[in-house]
Amino acid sequence: MWIKRDDLTGTVLTGNKVRKLEFLVGHALDYEYDALITCGGVHSNHCRATAFVAAQMGWPCELVLRGDEPGPVGNHLLDQLAGAELTHIEAALYSQSLESILEQRAERWRARGHKPLVIPTGGSDAIGLWGYIAACEELTDDCASLGISSPVIVSATGSGGTQAGLTAGSIIHNLRAQVRAYAVCDDRHYFNHKVRTDYALARSLYPQLPDIALAPDTCDDYIGAGYGLANDAVYQGIAELARLEGILLDPVYTGKAFFGLTADLQAGVYSEASDIIFVHTGGIFGIFPHADGLRGASQLR
Ligand SMILES: *Cc1c(COP(=O)(O)O)cnc(C)c1O
């Protein structure tokens, strides 16, 4: 088993979101945007990465966050350090009216003389999709230099953009890979549909993308109690990998996906696979809001 270390994409930018932001910010520069607005959960990795990218660009940033203010910890604390404006929206209203809330916030920035780019949840849109299409080019080189052929590529999936980019990019860049994603929130029908519609939308904007048949493969057996909620088995898996390999997973995404992967390995799901590449999508700062559960797991021997 191999691990693609996308947790090492940066310190404050750690994880998969900066691969999408690379293209989103490129788009912002091309079209002279000068402020970023995005949205997510209170401990969103995508929001934290966007806040730091905005600070690096010298642009203001507003984050529309689902739910009440948590304590000063993890990504939420970092958002504040990066100088982002935080707008907390109560969960029910957030899920009902996200689009119109984002549009209102954008209007506010326009009234102040800015041109804000509104980035959707997780940066998963037709532009962000390019991040993991490009990552597949890198993976093709990785596989060539390591002598890996026909790998199974495994990742967590939350807003679908990483999965969509890997699923399409592995075909576009001739990786001859199977891509399997572990859901952390919605079910497999949602993600399989999201991957296809994201790619179809991207093709309508970028005609250079080939007309390929995508067969997304999502496993939704390990979501547990829901998004952002982990159980002792996930905590123990995180503690075990930390002490066995010195690699840190997070309880929201990578820890759950890795737990699913190891359970499926034991169940024989990967009996045909010669090489498995787990894409470590980051999420380190998501450790801290789960300190109590993780401390319990780390005390077990
Ligand atoms: C956002 C995120 C994911 C999921 O990626 P999507 O492209 O949103 O599906 C996986 N792992 C981590 C650590 C993330 O922050």
Side-chain angles (χ1 to χ4, degrees), residues 41-45 69-79 227-230 235 238 249-252 283-295:
V42 284
H43 289 298
S44 161
N45 295 304
E69 231 182 288
V73 68
N75 286 311
H76 192 266
L77 170 64
L78 298 182
D79 295 343
Y227 177 74
L229 302 170
Y235 292 143
I238 292 172
L249 302 173
D250 79 289
V252 182
I284 300 307
F285 302 116
I287 287 274
F288 301 100
H290 287 256
D292 289 342
L294 285 161
R295 189 166 44 222

Short mmCIF file of all heavy atoms in Angstrom, two decimals, residues 41-45 69-79 227-230 235 238 249-252 283-295:
data_model
loop_
_atom_site.label_atom_id
_atom_site.label_comp_id
_atom_site.label_asym_id
_atom_site.label_seq_id
_atom_site.Cartn_x
_atom_site.Cartn_y
_atom_site.Cartn_z
N GLY A 41 -18.55 23.81 6.88
CA GLY A 41 -18.76 23.56 8.31
C GLY A 41 -17.83 24.44 9.14
O GLY A 41 -16.88 25.02 8.61
N VAL A 42 -18.11 24.54 10.44
CA VAL A 42 -17.30 25.43 11.29
C VAL A 42 -15.83 25.01 11.34
O VAL A 42 -14.96 25.85 11.57
CB VAL A 42 -17.83 25.54 12.74
CG1 VAL A 42 -19.04 26.43 12.80
CG2 VAL A 42 -18.09 24.19 13.35
N HIS A 43 -15.56 23.72 11.10
CA HIS A 43 -14.16 23.27 11.12
C HIS A 43 -13.68 22.89 9.72
O HIS A 43 -12.79 22.04 9.56
CB HIS A 43 -13.97 22.12 12.10
CG HIS A 43 -14.08 22.56 13.53
ND1 HIS A 43 -13.20 23.47 14.07
CD2 HIS A 43 -14.95 22.24 14.51
CE1 HIS A 43 -13.54 23.68 15.33
NE2 HIS A 43 -14.59 22.95 15.62
N SER A 44 -14.25 23.51 8.72
CA SER A 44 -13.93 23.18 7.33
C SER A 44 -12.45 23.41 6.99
O SER A 44 -11.91 24.50 7.22
CB SER A 44 -14.80 24.05 6.42
OG SER A 44 -14.27 24.11 5.12
N ASN A 45 -11.83 22.38 6.43
CA ASN A 45 -10.45 22.52 5.92
C ASN A 45 -10.42 23.43 4.71
O ASN A 45 -9.46 24.19 4.51
CB ASN A 45 -9.88 21.16 5.53
CG ASN A 45 -9.75 20.23 6.71
OD1 ASN A 45 -9.10 20.57 7.69
ND2 ASN A 45 -10.37 19.06 6.64
N GLU A 69 -20.69 29.37 16.64
CA GLU A 69 -19.27 29.47 16.87
C GLU A 69 -18.78 28.38 17.82
O GLU A 69 -19.35 28.21 18.90
CB GLU A 69 -18.99 30.83 17.50
CG GLU A 69 -17.90 31.51 16.75
CD GLU A 69 -17.52 32.84 17.30
OE1 GLU A 69 -18.31 33.78 17.15
OE2 GLU A 69 -16.42 32.90 17.86
N PRO A 70 -17.76 27.62 17.43
CA PRO A 70 -17.19 26.64 18.36
C PRO A 70 -16.16 27.34 19.23
O PRO A 70 -15.96 28.54 19.09
CB PRO A 70 -16.51 25.64 17.42
CG PRO A 70 -16.06 26.49 16.27
CD PRO A 70 -17.04 27.64 16.15
N GLY A 71 -15.49 26.63 20.11
CA GLY A 71 -14.41 27.22 20.89
C GLY A 71 -13.24 27.58 19.98
O GLY A 71 -13.22 27.21 18.80
N PRO A 72 -12.24 28.30 20.54
CA PRO A 72 -11.08 28.72 19.73
C PRO A 72 -10.11 27.56 19.51
O PRO A 72 -9.14 27.42 20.24
CB PRO A 72 -10.46 29.83 20.58
CG PRO A 72 -10.82 29.47 21.98
CD PRO A 72 -12.15 28.77 21.92
N VAL A 73 -10.39 26.75 18.50
CA VAL A 73 -9.58 25.55 18.29
C VAL A 73 -9.60 25.18 16.81
O VAL A 73 -10.51 25.57 16.08
CB VAL A 73 -10.13 24.40 19.18
CG1 VAL A 73 -11.50 23.94 18.70
CG2 VAL A 73 -9.18 23.21 19.23
N GLY A 74 -8.56 24.45 16.39
CA GLY A 74 -8.54 23.87 15.04
C GLY A 74 -8.66 24.90 13.93
O GLY A 74 -8.16 26.03 14.04
N ASN A 75 -9.30 24.50 12.85
CA ASN A 75 -9.41 25.37 11.67
C ASN A 75 -10.11 26.69 11.98
O ASN A 75 -9.79 27.72 11.40
CB ASN A 75 -10.18 24.66 10.56
CG ASN A 75 -9.34 23.59 9.88
OD1 ASN A 75 -8.20 23.82 9.51
ND2 ASN A 75 -9.90 22.39 9.75
N HIS A 76 -11.09 26.65 12.90
CA HIS A 76 -11.84 27.87 13.18
C HIS A 76 -10.95 28.95 13.77
O HIS A 76 -11.05 30.13 13.42
CB HIS A 76 -13.01 27.54 14.12
CG HIS A 76 -14.01 28.66 14.24
ND1 HIS A 76 -13.94 29.61 15.24
CD2 HIS A 76 -15.06 29.00 13.47
CE1 HIS A 76 -14.93 30.47 15.09
NE2 HIS A 76 -15.63 30.12 14.03
N LEU A 77 -10.03 28.54 14.64
CA LEU A 77 -9.06 29.48 15.20
C LEU A 77 -8.14 30.02 14.09
O LEU A 77 -7.86 31.22 14.02
CB LEU A 77 -8.24 28.77 16.28
CG LEU A 77 -7.03 29.53 16.82
CD1 LEU A 77 -7.47 30.80 17.54
CD2 LEU A 77 -6.23 28.63 17.77
N LEU A 78 -7.72 29.11 13.21
CA LEU A 78 -6.80 29.51 12.12
C LEU A 78 -7.49 30.48 11.16
O LEU A 78 -6.85 31.42 10.67
CB LEU A 78 -6.29 28.28 11.38
CG LEU A 78 -5.47 27.30 12.23
CD1 LEU A 78 -4.98 26.13 11.38
CD2 LEU A 78 -4.29 28.01 12.87
N ASP A 79 -8.79 30.27 10.90
CA ASP A 79 -9.54 31.19 10.03
C ASP A 79 -9.40 32.62 10.56
O ASP A 79 -9.21 33.58 9.81
CB ASP A 79 -11.04 30.84 10.02
CG ASP A 79 -11.32 29.48 9.40
OD1 ASP A 79 -10.44 28.95 8.70
OD2 ASP A 79 -12.44 28.97 9.62
N TYR A 227 -21.61 13.30 9.33
CA TYR A 227 -20.47 14.17 9.00
C TYR A 227 -19.84 14.74 10.28
O TYR A 227 -20.55 15.27 11.14
CB TYR A 227 -20.92 15.32 8.10
CG TYR A 227 -19.78 16.28 7.80
CD1 TYR A 227 -18.78 15.93 6.91
CD2 TYR A 227 -19.70 17.51 8.43
CE1 TYR A 227 -17.72 16.77 6.65
CE2 TYR A 227 -18.64 18.39 8.18
CZ TYR A 227 -17.66 18.00 7.29
OH TYR A 227 -16.60 18.84 7.05
N GLY A 228 -18.54 14.62 10.39
CA GLY A 228 -17.84 15.22 11.52
C GLY A 228 -17.94 14.43 12.81
O GLY A 228 -17.38 14.83 13.82
N LEU A 229 -18.65 13.31 12.77
CA LEU A 229 -18.78 12.49 13.98
C LEU A 229 -17.99 11.20 13.79
O LEU A 229 -18.16 10.52 12.78
CB LEU A 229 -20.25 12.15 14.24
CG LEU A 229 -21.18 13.37 14.38
CD1 LEU A 229 -22.64 12.93 14.39
CD2 LEU A 229 -20.84 14.14 15.66
N ALA A 230 -17.13 10.89 14.73
CA ALA A 230 -16.32 9.67 14.60
C ALA A 230 -16.57 8.77 15.80
O ALA A 230 -16.97 9.24 16.86
CB ALA A 230 -14.84 10.03 14.49
N TYR A 235 -11.13 6.49 15.89
CA TYR A 235 -10.09 7.07 16.75
C TYR A 235 -8.94 6.08 16.94
O TYR A 235 -7.76 6.47 16.90
CB TYR A 235 -10.67 7.45 18.11
CG TYR A 235 -11.67 8.59 18.09
CD1 TYR A 235 -12.78 8.58 18.93
CD2 TYR A 235 -11.48 9.70 17.27
CE1 TYR A 235 -13.68 9.63 18.95
CE2 TYR A 235 -12.39 10.76 17.27
CZ TYR A 235 -13.49 10.71 18.11
OH TYR A 235 -14.39 11.75 18.12
N ILE A 238 -6.72 5.86 13.94
CA ILE A 238 -5.83 7.03 13.85
C ILE A 238 -4.63 6.85 14.78
O ILE A 238 -3.48 7.05 14.39
CB ILE A 238 -6.61 8.32 14.19
CG1 ILE A 238 -7.63 8.62 13.09
CG2 ILE A 238 -5.65 9.50 14.37
CD1 ILE A 238 -8.59 9.75 13.40
N LEU A 249 -3.69 10.85 10.57
CA LEU A 249 -4.95 11.00 9.83
C LEU A 249 -5.88 11.89 10.65
O LEU A 249 -5.62 12.17 11.81
CB LEU A 249 -5.60 9.62 9.62
CG LEU A 249 -4.77 8.58 8.88
CD1 LEU A 249 -5.48 7.22 8.91
CD2 LEU A 249 -4.52 9.01 7.44
N ASP A 250 -6.99 12.30 10.05
CA ASP A 250 -7.94 13.15 10.77
C ASP A 250 -9.25 12.39 10.98
O ASP A 250 -9.55 11.45 10.24
CB ASP A 250 -8.20 14.44 9.99
CG ASP A 250 -9.15 14.21 8.84
OD1 ASP A 250 -8.77 13.55 7.85
OD2 ASP A 250 -10.31 14.65 8.94
N PRO A 251 -10.04 12.78 11.99
CA PRO A 251 -11.25 12.01 12.30
C PRO A 251 -12.43 12.26 11.36
O PRO A 251 -13.39 11.49 11.37
CB PRO A 251 -11.61 12.45 13.73
CG PRO A 251 -10.83 13.67 14.00
CD PRO A 251 -9.76 13.82 12.98
N VAL A 252 -12.38 13.32 10.55
CA VAL A 252 -13.55 13.68 9.72
C VAL A 252 -13.49 13.02 8.34
O VAL A 252 -14.51 12.56 7.82
CB VAL A 252 -13.66 15.21 9.58
CG1 VAL A 252 -14.88 15.62 8.78
CG2 VAL A 252 -13.69 15.87 10.96
N GLY A 283 -6.21 17.45 6.51
CA GLY A 283 -7.20 17.54 7.59
C GLY A 283 -6.64 17.55 9.00
O GLY A 283 -7.39 17.41 9.97
N ILE A 284 -5.32 17.71 9.10
CA ILE A 284 -4.64 17.61 10.40
C ILE A 284 -5.31 18.46 11.49
O ILE A 284 -5.47 18.01 12.63
CB ILE A 284 -3.16 18.06 10.27
CG1 ILE A 284 -2.42 17.19 9.25
CG2 ILE A 284 -2.45 18.06 11.61
CD1 ILE A 284 -2.50 15.73 9.49
N PHE A 285 -5.71 19.68 11.14
CA PHE A 285 -6.25 20.56 12.19
C PHE A 285 -7.62 20.08 12.70
O PHE A 285 -8.08 20.54 13.73
CB PHE A 285 -6.33 22.00 11.68
CG PHE A 285 -4.98 22.53 11.25
CD1 PHE A 285 -4.74 22.88 9.92
CD2 PHE A 285 -3.94 22.65 12.16
CE1 PHE A 285 -3.49 23.35 9.53
CE2 PHE A 285 -2.69 23.12 11.78
CZ PHE A 285 -2.46 23.48 10.45
N GLY A 286 -8.23 19.16 11.97
CA GLY A 286 -9.48 18.56 12.42
C GLY A 286 -9.30 17.62 13.61
O GLY A 286 -10.27 17.16 14.21
N ILE A 287 -8.04 17.32 13.93
CA ILE A 287 -7.73 16.50 15.11
C ILE A 287 -8.22 17.18 16.39
O ILE A 287 -8.79 16.54 17.28
CB ILE A 287 -6.19 16.33 15.22
CG1 ILE A 287 -5.66 15.38 14.15
CG2 ILE A 287 -5.76 15.92 16.61
CD1 ILE A 287 -5.71 13.94 14.53
N PHE A 288 -7.99 18.49 16.48
CA PHE A 288 -8.11 19.16 17.79
C PHE A 288 -9.53 19.26 18.34
O PHE A 288 -9.71 19.12 19.54
CB PHE A 288 -7.35 20.49 17.74
CG PHE A 288 -5.90 20.26 17.40
CD1 PHE A 288 -5.42 20.46 16.12
CD2 PHE A 288 -5.03 19.74 18.36
CE1 PHE A 288 -4.09 20.18 15.80
CE2 PHE A 288 -3.71 19.45 18.05
CZ PHE A 288 -3.23 19.68 16.77
N PRO A 289 -10.55 19.47 17.50
CA PRO A 289 -11.91 19.45 18.06
C PRO A 289 -12.32 18.05 18.56
O PRO A 289 -13.35 17.91 19.22
CB PRO A 289 -12.79 19.88 16.88
CG PRO A 289 -11.87 20.62 15.96
CD PRO A 289 -10.54 19.93 16.11
N HIS A 290 -11.52 17.00 18.24
CA HIS A 290 -11.84 15.64 18.67
C HIS A 290 -10.87 15.17 19.75
O HIS A 290 -10.66 13.96 19.92
CB HIS A 290 -11.77 14.68 17.47
CG HIS A 290 -12.91 14.84 16.51
ND1 HIS A 290 -13.96 13.95 16.45
CD2 HIS A 290 -13.17 15.79 15.58
CE1 HIS A 290 -14.81 14.35 15.52
NE2 HIS A 290 -14.36 15.46 14.97
N ALA A 291 -10.29 16.13 20.47
CA ALA A 291 -9.22 15.79 21.43
C ALA A 291 -9.67 14.73 22.44
O ALA A 291 -8.92 13.79 22.72
CB ALA A 291 -8.76 17.06 22.15
N ASP A 292 -10.89 14.83 22.95
CA ASP A 292 -11.30 13.90 24.01
C ASP A 292 -11.34 12.47 23.50
O ASP A 292 -10.78 11.57 24.13
CB ASP A 292 -12.67 14.31 24.58
CG ASP A 292 -12.56 15.59 25.41
OD1 ASP A 292 -11.41 15.94 25.80
OD2 ASP A 292 -13.59 16.23 25.63
N GLY A 293 -12.01 12.26 22.36
CA GLY A 293 -12.11 10.91 21.81
C GLY A 293 -10.75 10.34 21.46
O GLY A 293 -10.47 9.16 21.69
N LEU A 294 -9.90 11.20 20.92
CA LEU A 294 -8.58 10.72 20.50
C LEU A 294 -7.69 10.43 21.70
O LEU A 294 -6.88 9.50 21.67
CB LEU A 294 -7.93 11.75 19.58
CG LEU A 294 -8.53 11.74 18.17
CD1 LEU A 294 -8.22 13.04 17.44
CD2 LEU A 294 -8.05 10.54 17.38
N ARG A 295 -7.84 11.20 22.76
CA ARG A 295 -7.04 10.92 23.95
C ARG A 295 -7.41 9.55 24.50
O ARG A 295 -6.55 8.76 24.86
CB ARG A 295 -7.24 12.00 25.02
CG ARG A 295 -6.27 11.85 26.18
CD ARG A 295 -6.23 13.08 27.04
NE ARG A 295 -7.56 13.58 27.30
CZ ARG A 295 -7.91 14.85 27.29
NH1 ARG A 295 -7.01 15.78 27.07
NH2 ARG A 295 -9.14 15.21 27.53
#
